[in-house]
Amino acid sequence: MAVQPADGTMRTERPGFLLDLITGADTDLGSVQRLAEAGAPALAGSADCAALLIRPGGPPVIAGNSTAAEALATSEDRNGDGPLTHAVSTSELVKVDRTTSARWQAYRRRLSASGFGAALALPLDLEDRTSCALLFLVRGTTGLTPDLVAEARWFAEVAAQSMKLALEVRSVRSAGDNLKTVLESRTSIDVACGVIMAQNSCTYAEAFSRLAGASRQRNLKVRSVAENVVKSLAAGSPAARPDPPAPA
């Protein structure tokens, strides 16, 4: 089915298409790398592709389908300018070619030195505070034809949905790992408290207080003290009784 986007160009809609940015990608860098590798052939093999992901509190994540694409994208940090970082910060599409404004002349020289004739940066709509953008780098003098721009826009829409899914899945996995750690920690503490309760005929609250006091005195986490108690019990030796808290 043919659809007409806001820029007036015609392209073919491909419903149901989604990029797999999770399989084999254990980190954000892995997903960004897969995104860049998928972006290059999306423009009929006429462009290289790089991608930039920025998450709150973390460093920028950059990847490219070629050494030249990744190097050019990374150079934007050193030079303080470039269409990729501009697209991320402003959510605007940026075109750099022979008709570009004076603002991008310095970047265009770096572009030419890397063997490319034009660049197209498109932001991905990820919502929240996470930002991502794609950089398509076209070789030769073909430039950014309307068909190439339309194809890049379509791919950016797909990429946005795919990256959202990848980040959500990774977030769920991380939450699951954290929950597992918490539960394992809680199990060790509960068992240790049970040992202390049996040895001292005390309540759970009193047993935990002993663990906490030993934790402060020995500068260890409560979980570590609890694991030592459990290990000594499993070894068949008398469990080491946590020292009571020092008098205030």
Side-chain angles (χ1 to χ4, degrees), residues 158-221:
V158 174
Q161 297 304 315
S162 302
M163 185 57 76
K164 280 182 187 178
L165 180 60
L167 296 177
E168 287 172 3
V169 170
R170 187 162 291 119
S171 178
V172 170
R173 286 179 178 173
S174 177
D177 290 342
N178 291 338
L179 178 59
K180 180 180 178 182
T181 300
V182 169
L183 291 176
E184 289 175 347
S185 174
R186 189 67 194 179
T187 298
S188 298
I189 292 172
D190 284 345
V191 172
C193 283
V195 172
I196 298 171
M197 289 167 65
Q199 291 178 338
N200 298 276
S201 300
C202 61
T203 65
Y204 183 94
E206 291 169 336
F208 184 83
S209 178
R210 286 173 177 262
L211 280 178
S215 167
R216 291 191 295 271
Q217 288 183 345
R218 301 172 189 176
N219 196 27
L220 295 172
K221 293 182 179 179

Side-chain angles (χ1 to χ4, degrees), residues 53-117:
L53 176 71
I54 300 177
R55 295 249 247 172
V61 179
I62 299 174
N65 78 304
S66 67
T67 301
E70 184 171 341
L72 194 59
T74 303
S75 74
E76 294 194 20
D77 277 341
R78 295 195 301 271
N79 291 277
D81 73 323
L84 187 59
T85 52
H86 184 81
V88 163
S89 61
T90 65
S91 299
E92 297 176 351
L93 179 148
V94 182
K95 294 192 290 186
V96 179
D97 57 16
R98 287 173 296 180
T99 65
T100 193
S101 65
R103 169 176 181 170
W104 301 110
Q105 291 307 312
Y107 177 82
R108 191 175 170 223
R109 288 193 290 271
R110 300 203 306 272
L111 191 68
S112 179
S114 298
F116 299 104

